[in-house]
Amino acid sequence: MVPDADAGSSGSNANDLQAPPPLPPRRMLSTERGTLQVTPAQSTPTTAVSSVDISTLSFPDGSRGTFTTSAMRAVSTPINTGSGRVSPSLGPPSGDLAESMSVMSFAPTMKPAGDLASLVAGGLNRKSRAWQLLRSQSATVQPFQTRDTGMGSGLTGFEREFDNIPDITVQGTTDDDRVALWKSKLKHYMILSSAGKPIYSRHGDLSLINSSMGVVQTIISFYEGAKDPLMGFTAGNTRFVVATEGPLYFVAISKLGESDSQLRSQLDALYMQILSTLTLPTLKNIFVHRPSTDLRKPLEGTESLLSSLADSFTKGSPSALLGALECLRLRKSQRHSINNAFLKMRNDKLLYGLIVAGGKLVSVIRPRKHSLHPSDLQLIFNMLFESGGVKAGGGENWIPLCLPAFNNRGYLYMYVSFFDGNPESNSAEPVQDRSDSEDEIAIILISADKESFYDLKEIRDKVAQQLSKNGSLTIIKAAAAGGRPKIPAIAAGAQISHFLYKSRANVQFCMSSLEPAFGGSGDDEPAKMVARRKLMSLYHQLHASMHAKHTHLKVLHCVGEDAASLAWITPIFELYCVAGPNISRQVMTQGANKIIQWAKKEEERLFIIGGGVF
Amino acid sequence: MADSANAPKPSSSVKLVLLGEAAVGKSSLVLRFVNNDFQENKEPTIGAAFLTQKCNLPTRTIKFEIWDTAGQERFASLAPMYYRNAQAALVVYDLTKPTSLVKAKHWVAELQRQASPGIVIALVGNKLDLTNDGAGSGAAESGDDSGDARKITTEEAKTYAEEEGLLFFETSAKTGYNVTEVFTAIANAIPETSLKSARGPGASHAAGRTEEQRVNLNGPRDPNAKEGCAC
Ligand SMILES: Nc1nc2c(ncn2[C@@H]2O[C@H](COP(=O)(O)OP(=O)(O)OP(=O)(O)O)[C@@H](O)[C@H]2O)c(=O)[nH]1
Ligand SMILES: [Mg+2]
């Protein structure tokens, strides 16, 4: 299934930037990981250079207006290294543009985005009166509401992305149907051993993907022989990214437009999940003794965890994108009293203790010398909240797992139980009968001692009783049920539709409510899922632009056909926001400023600062 | 009116462990017993789950503390932790899958070797609904012709169970057939002498929740309770 690829590979020497033309630039993997890399602090904002395409609009009265349009990249492209700008990437095919009635010309140019102060001043792009009038009429257009140009969004069939491919036994499906379905998926993840044995594929059973795996293995090992490992290649509008981890090959195949480093960190998360199941020494041992081992047996039961991780990336996960965690918003004093109750009840079996509500962190207690790594928490959250296994199991759970960022050589033991999520009930008992609820509360206790279940259960019972007695449980339930903050309450009149705000020092983020346009339930859920992916794709593009090597971009403002967006990075925070296409830069920047002020004021409510330390 | 029925009955907890090959239906049996519910595509258990459920016998109440273990091979080394102090074990196989009975026999042998000597073991053949003698309608769902997915005859398993001195049941977690019966039979089979009273004779509240919190508040539970009895 691998189309004739204009394959490129990049060298093992990551510092050699003199790549021959057909090869994508190399990247320094070592610095790509982690989330704490802080760009050199600069006291004055630099004038950022970004790829902003200017389009000109002609009005019936003869006047013309110009506006910028973001370069929507159909294919994720490796971000240029060595240049201080984002590569002006493939725009939509001009045929599409000609059909779109309002856009008269399309002239890609480079334009300085200006620092924020000058953006606020608003003198940058003065428009004709007619333009202002037109814009003021339609300023309330929401993002992604322009009629879908089909090809343009590249999301055709995304509603069916997660549908299963029927297996061979289902009557009336031919192999051709199955292959066609398989090819229609926008995102694939594959894991195989370097000997070519399939380990995991998100879509399709073994009979379907075996030959593809063979091709992938052949391609990868061809380059490996040349001492020049294959990092990725592009075929048509599909980007292939390859990661080699010891005896394993990880492949991401995406039509969703993520950057290579974003895809690579997704693959890294899948690798972490495998380590979490097996530990590194076990994984190595297996292949040292028998390189042709079928890893599916030892990994049995891990598929659903890999798939829920993969699907969260395909849907678009702000947490994975930002490498940060989301917390439940609580008053400082409330969080304090929860932390204290937690700290008071701990015993010496406890390594880490967490309370989580609806996938958001409520409280963490930890020893002074250890902190929890976001990638480890991502695995735990995925297991508990995304994949159904533990949640549906009921009762209290005792789970051996390896947290690779903490220590990839051994297992820890995790006690998990859920509280009754029903706000009316005030029971502190472990729930045995759980309904799927957004605001369920879990308590997670981690120990290095596999015999400590009853010790940790005792902590849980005491903490639960205390939280129930002092009213904290009710507060947590109410906060979780209240959902994420709505923008009108933060930045009234800002016309911003959605934002992500990451506190870099705390490695945590917050975001505005996805409802109603990008989430929530209703009969138009498939449409919302697509809208949400569009939003996340835009965030991925902004993020990739801002984090491209050697770009010291501070502010990036993009206007596209169906949305306007702004990214703003300082040593303290990263802010990404999205609005309808007609919002002026000035209004957008004012909104961004309001969000920043809000986040600063609310910092101790939005984020866990330090947590309970013992 | 219910006063006499609610008169304090001696209550005791029994630690019970479920063992068996992956996907034979251990978690489904527990879900049926505890919540009277069934899920068509249940995900594999990771590690183990701990649940409690009461079983009312005419003369006493048994509170099961159930360890539902994961059947996947990589968790096998943790099993001793769960059966070590267990008073009862449910060894489950899938009667449509021959390998699962082989695995069940291994578990029985391991229990007989390593677990407490008095442990009550029940051998349970699950997924009876997939066979011709499936509970209720009797019609199997899978095949059209023979309609019987059964691979392990009742005689074969029953003979083995008798030889080893095990309780024996065929169940369906899906329809609920025979599920409570298994647990009741185990409760009845636990020798009086191995039952520890869960609480002192003075306590008379039947509500499990208050009971549990009280016990936890008082810290280590059993020593006190026992001393109370001995006086
Ligand atoms: N038809 C039928 N299916 C059943 C029955 N019991 C369980 N299943 C199905 O069999 C599958 C496995 O059931 P589980 O209860 O998860 O099996 P398990 O023994 O707990 O598996 P592990 O946790 O992996 O050890 C699920 O899809 C269940 O829906 C049954 O009595 N009849
Ligand atoms: Mg199970």
Side-chain angles (χ1 to χ4, degrees):
Chain A
M1 89 327 131
V2 178
D4 46 340
D6 52 321
S9 70
S10 71
S12 46
N13 179 0
N15 290 318
D16 177 11
L17 290 167
Q18 303 312 116
L23 305 182
R26 11 212 104 164
R27 331 265 308 290
M28 279 169 277
L29 282 178
S30 53
T31 52
E32 250 161 40
R33 275 186 209 170
T35 50
L36 275 170
Q37 67 211 45
V38 178
T39 50
Q42 274 162 301
S43 52
T44 53
T46 41
T47 301
V49 182
S50 64
S51 81
V52 187
D53 300 325
I54 308 294
S55 296
T56 311
L57 192 67
S58 295
F59 295 102
D61 66 357
S63 70
R64 311 189 112 213
T66 51
F67 62 98
T68 50
T69 172
S70 76
M72 298 293 279
R73 284 170 300 158
V75 185
S76 63
T77 43
I79 288 153
N80 265 345
T81 52
S83 66
R85 59 176 176 80
V86 182
S87 54
S89 43
L90 309 150
S94 48
D96 276 345
L97 280 168
E99 278 161 35
S100 138
M101 51 172 273
S102 63
V103 181
M104 305 301 284
S105 72
F106 187 79
T109 52
M110 290 300 148
K111 188 179 193 307
D115 61 50
L116 214 72
S118 63
L119 290 178
V120 182
L124 265 172
N125 39 355
R126 222 181 289 281
K127 308 275 165 46
S128 75
R129 265 200 64 197
W131 169 252
Q132 300 289 9
L133 263 171
L134 186 77
R135 172 168 269 185
S136 68
Q137 276 171 9
S138 54
T140 51
V141 172
Q142 295 297 303
F144 316 121
Q145 285 201 337
T146 44
R147 252 191 65 240
D148 212 337
T149 42
M151 304 289 294
S153 71
L155 286 175
T156 319
F158 189 70
E159 316 85 68
R160 294 180 299 279
E161 176 73 14
F162 306 107
D163 294 357
N164 278 335
I165 297 174
D167 61 59
I168 202 87
T169 55
V170 175
Q171 285 206 332
T173 41
T174 66
D175 254 359
D176 286 351
D177 294 342
R178 286 164 15 99
V179 170
L181 261 177
W182 187 79
K183 283 187 176 164
S184 75
K185 302 294 181 187
L186 301 172
K187 189 85 170 269
H188 290 273
Y189 294 91
M190 290 181 183
I191 306 174
L192 56 158
S193 72
S194 45
K197 280 250 165 61
I199 295 168
Y200 169 80
S201 164
R202 172 59 188 92
H203 302 291
D205 53 42
L206 266 190
S207 66
L208 197 65
I209 52 138
N210 225 338
S211 56
S212 314
M213 289 268 194
V215 175
V216 168
Q217 193 256 344
T218 310
I219 296 175
I220 299 174
S221 52
F222 176 79
Y223 283 93
E224 202 151 68
K227 290 219 162 53
D228 186 18
L230 179 66
M231 309 292 279
F233 54 92
T234 302
N237 62 349
T238 308
R239 182 71 192 162
F240 292 65
V241 166
V242 179
T244 307
E245 299 283 359
L248 305 181
Y249 292 149
F250 295 78
V251 184
I253 305 170
S254 178
K255 295 177 189 164
L256 294 175
E258 299 103 318
S259 76
D260 275 21
S261 84
Q262 286 162 354
L263 289 171
R264 213 167 276 290
S265 75
Q266 295 172 8
L267 292 179
D268 194 53
L270 299 184
Y271 177 52
M272 290 300 142
Q273 177 57 64
I274 289 181
L275 289 184
S276 175
T277 303
L278 292 176
T279 74
L280 184 61
T282 308
L283 178 66
K284 278 186 175 160
N285 260 331
I286 290 174
F287 284 99
V288 163
H289 295 305
R290 286 188 51 219
S292 63
T293 305
D294 183 353
L295 201 61
R296 280 174 305 157
K297 188 72 190 167
L299 282 179
E300 203 183 359
T302 308
E303 304 87 13
S304 65
L305 297 175
L306 290 170
S307 291
S308 57
L309 264 180
D311 289 357
S312 73
F313 301 145
T314 304
K315 285 175 191 147
S317 151
S319 169
L321 174 68
L322 301 173
L325 291 161
E326 193 177 9
C327 296
L328 187 71
R329 186 165 162 243
L330 285 177
R331 284 176 182 281
K332 189 186 172 189
S333 60
Q334 289 164 348
R335 196 171 332 258
H336 200 68
S337 90
I338 296 168
N339 284 349
N340 280 348
F342 212 172
L343 282 170
K344 213 164 73 198
M345 303 307 178
R346 76 181 181 92
N347 56 37
D348 56 10
K349 297 285 184 194
L350 186 73
L351 178 61
Y352 294 120
L354 303 142
I355 297 174
V356 182
K360 301 183 193 71
L361 216 47
V362 176
S363 166
V364 186
I365 63 169
R366 61 179 176 89
R368 186 165 301 282
K369 56 183 192 295
H370 295 297
S371 61
L372 268 164
H373 196 279
S375 71
D376 285 342
L377 281 173
Q378 179 184 36
L379 296 178
I380 295 176
F381 280 36
N382 177 58
M383 179 189 280
L384 301 186
F385 300 105
E386 302 297 330
S387 144
V390 177
K391 201 160 51 176
E396 295 156 85
N397 301 272
W398 189 233
I399 298 170
L401 88 170
C402 164
L403 296 178
F406 172 77
N407 176 2
N408 62 21
R409 309 190 57 82
Y411 287 106
L412 295 174
Y413 298 84
M414 177 167 80
Y415 169 96
V416 183
S417 79
F418 290 80
F419 293 93
D420 192 341
N422 179 1
E424 264 80 65
S425 98
N426 204 23
S427 163
E429 282 290 289
V431 201
Q432 304 209 5
D433 173 14
R434 208 155 37 243
S435 55
D436 245 358
S437 115
E438 276 281 285
D439 35 81
E440 60 207 346
I441 303 170
I443 181 161
I444 300 164
L445 305 169
I446 297 174
S447 171
D449 178 359
K450 73 171 174 184
E451 305 274 351
S452 61
F453 175 85
Y454 290 102
D455 298 298
L456 298 193
K457 180 177 165 54
E458 193 186 349
I459 299 179
R460 190 228 96 103
D461 289 341
K462 287 180 180 170
V463 169
Q465 211 179 31
Q466 180 63 26
L467 295 186
S468 162
K469 207 170 72 188
N470 72 12
S472 296
L473 205 54
T474 319
I475 290 168
I476 297 172
K477 282 175 187 169
R484 298 187 172 105
K486 309 243 185 315
I487 288 183
I490 297 166
Q495 290 170 18
I496 286 174
S497 302
H498 195 262
F499 73 84
L500 302 177
Y501 175 97
K502 174 180 174 179
S503 161
R504 302 180 77 166
N506 295 309
V507 205
Q508 291 163 39
F509 79 98
C510 66
M511 65 191 237
S512 58
S513 174
L514 288 163
E515 293 167 34
F518 308 110
S521 50
D523 42 3
D524 52 349
E525 249 178 89
K528 283 180 180 174
M529 191 172 90
V530 175
R532 191 190 138 145
R533 178 62 230 185
K534 285 182 182 168
L535 177 71
M536 293 302 156
S537 290
L538 191 48
Y539 282 139
H540 277 75
Q541 287 165 13
L542 288 173
H543 184 271
S545 304
M546 297 304 278
H547 290 83
K549 281 280 129 53
H550 306 295
T551 49
H552 298 290
L553 216 50
K554 299 297 168 205
V555 180
L556 174 64
H557 178 248
C558 295
V559 182
E561 235 181 305
D562 52 5
S565 54
L566 179 82
W568 180 9
I569 298 192
T570 76
I572 314 272
F573 63 81
E574 296 181 15
L575 174 73
Y576 304 88
C577 44
V578 170
N582 298 330
I583 185 176
S584 75
R585 187 181 286 192
Q586 187 182 358
V587 173
M588 184 110 175
T589 338
Q590 281 165 355
N593 270 320
K594 282 186 186 162
I595 294 169
I596 300 301
Q597 280 156 19
W598 169 81
K600 194 172 175 192
K601 197 177 86 216
E602 297 271 309
E603 187 177 25
E604 292 191 290
R605 297 182 178 183
L606 292 171
F607 305 115
I608 295 178
I609 298 166
V613 176
F614 55 85
Chain B
M1 55 154 195
D3 261 354
S4 58
N6 277 352
K9 267 193 283 187
S11 157
S12 29
S13 23
V14 166
K15 195 177 155 192
L16 178 147
V17 63
L18 282 99
L19 297 164
E21 197 177 77
V24 295
K26 298 178 293 298
S27 302
S28 300
L29 286 168
V30 175
L31 186 66
R32 175 61 74 189
F33 177 55
V34 173
N35 289 330
N36 195 20
D37 194 7
F38 179 77
Q39 288 165 3
E40 204 57 61
N41 286 310
K42 200 144 179 30
E43 298 222 26
T45 305
I46 311 174
F50 179 82
L51 298 95
T52 58
Q53 173 68 318
K54 287 222 177 111
C55 186
N56 275 308
L57 301 182
T59 55
R60 61 183 191 222
T61 301
I62 301 283
K63 184 183 168 202
F64 281 113
E65 296 179 355
I66 303 168
W67 275 110
D68 170 23
T69 66
Q72 281 158 4
E73 218 34 65
R74 64 192 161 95
F75 297 111
S77 62
L78 294 174
M81 203 161 82
Y82 303 112
Y83 65 62
R84 200 187 300 129
N85 305 310
Q87 290 137 286
L90 231 126
V91 179
V92 187
Y93 66 96
D94 174 349
L95 41 75
T96 68
K97 199 169 171 230
T99 57
S100 70
L101 181 61
V102 176
K103 184 76 209 176
K105 289 179 179 175
H106 281 136
W107 280 125
V108 170
E110 182 166 337
L111 286 172
Q112 288 170 339
R113 233 179 21 244
Q114 320 259 30
S116 7
I119 190 168
V120 175
I121 305 174
L123 181 70
V124 175
N126 188 38
K127 308 201 184 178
L128 189 64
D129 56 287
L130 298 176
T131 71
N132 271 339
D133 23 44
S137 69
E141 307 181 1
S142 49
D144 311 302
D145 343 305
S146 76
D148 197 343
R150 181 191 281 275
K151 294 282 162 51
I152 296 163
T153 65
T154 311
E155 291 75 61
E156 181 190 353
K158 196 169 182 178
T159 313
Y160 164 74
E162 274 163 9
E163 280 166 13
E164 299 295 333
L166 320 173
L167 300 171
F168 173 69
F169 288 89
E170 289 189 333
T171 60
S172 166
K174 186 169 177 170
T175 65
Y177 177 78
N178 249 352
V179 176
T180 343
E181 284 76 359
V182 178
F183 288 90
T184 313
I186 288 178
N188 278 313
I190 305 274
E192 278 308 318
T193 49
S194 79
L195 289 177
K196 293 183 216 150
S197 187
R199 57 189 157 90
S204 60
H205 292 293
R209 306 203 151 177
T210 33
E211 172 196 314
E212 180 156 38
Q213 284 179 6
R214 186 194 310 264
V215 171
N216 283 322
L217 268 179
N218 294 341
R221 55 174 99 175
D222 285 331
N224 285 339
K226 255 192 144 178
E227 270 165 31
C229 278
C231 289

